[in-house]
Amino acid sequence: MELYYSEMDSPVGTLTIVSNGEKVIRIDYGSFADLEATMTKWASHFFDKPVFIPKPEKVHHVITELRDYFQGKRQNFSFDFEYYGTPFQQKVWKALHDTIPYGQTRTYKDIAGTIKQPKAVRAVGGAVNKNPFSIVVPCHRVIGANGKMIGYGGGLDKKEFLLTHEAK
């Protein structure tokens, strides 16, 4: 299976965008060279013999929208993307995407309630940590019950930047 990728520079560092040719399937912090082993392992769970091919034209529209976001011109994204993960993870990611507006935050407990599994707060945290769509599926908008920023796959500095950016 051919998967296409490109990178972009952003205020939070390099982002790698991956597409299956029709939909975006990942947006990760870091360069492809740094992520290649992890990406290959991940893709092997969902695709037969994944091969990553650098092809910027397959994700150019995504890069344009992300640049608009960082320039304060965009709050939502219009490109198609597809979740690859467990059914529970997909439910959590969909809740993040669909229920946390730009510039607002929710707690892990809020998300557990949204998916109607109020006792699954830790499992929600695990799913949030595996979010394959940095920025677009706004896991940076999830905070601890005490109102503090806790955990973020990209690092708390990036989470703080994104929340401050959206608060403007």
Side-chain angles (χ1 to χ4, degrees):
M1 171 75 175
E2 291 183 344
L3 301 175
Y4 308 100
Y5 75 91
S6 189
E7 299 171 353
M8 72 172 280
D9 291 326
S10 81
V12 290
T14 302
L15 297 172
T16 296
I17 301 106
V18 181
S19 168
N20 63 11
E22 294 179 23
K23 295 182 180 181
V24 177
I25 59 171
R26 292 195 69 88
I27 300 173
D28 288 284
Y29 291 109
S31 69
F32 183 77
D34 292 339
L35 299 168
E36 186 171 10
T38 303
M39 289 254 194
T40 301
K41 183 177 178 183
W42 171 84
S44 295
H45 291 290
F46 303 104
F47 304 102
D48 187 38
K49 299 177 186 164
V51 176
F52 290 91
I53 300 167
K55 211 163 205 179
E57 62 271 19
K58 293 287 189 178
V59 297
H60 178 73
H61 61 295
V62 178
I63 291 171
T64 299
E65 289 194 22
L66 285 165
R67 283 191 180 127
D68 287 349
Y69 166 84
F70 285 115
Q71 293 171 0
K73 298 176 187 175
R74 173 177 291 279
Q75 295 183 359
N76 298 297
F77 300 93
S78 65
F79 54 84
D80 290 332
F81 57 92
E82 188 169 348
Y83 299 119
Y84 288 91
T86 68
F88 180 81
Q89 288 171 332
Q90 291 182 35
K91 187 188 302 187
V92 170
W93 300 333
K94 185 167 176 21
L96 297 177
H97 182 262
D98 295 350
T99 67
I100 310 177
Y102 182 93
Q104 295 185 25
T105 58
R106 299 288 185 273
T107 65
Y108 294 94
K109 183 178 179 180
D110 293 336
I111 301 303
T114 297
I115 63 168
K116 301 192 180 346
Q117 292 185 256
K119 295 185 187 230
V121 176
R122 284 182 185 252
V124 165
V128 168
N129 181 264
K130 300 281 189 216
N131 174 19
F133 294 101
S134 298
I135 303 165
V136 174
V137 173
C139 58
H140 60 278
R141 297 179 192 153
V142 182
I143 58 173
N146 60 3
K148 294 188 178 182
M149 288 191 281
I150 56 172
Y152 188 62
L156 288 178
D157 58 328
K158 290 177 178 65
K159 183 173 189 164
E160 187 173 338
F161 175 91
L162 295 169
L163 291 174
T164 300
H165 169 72
E166 292 182 5
K168 292 179 183 175

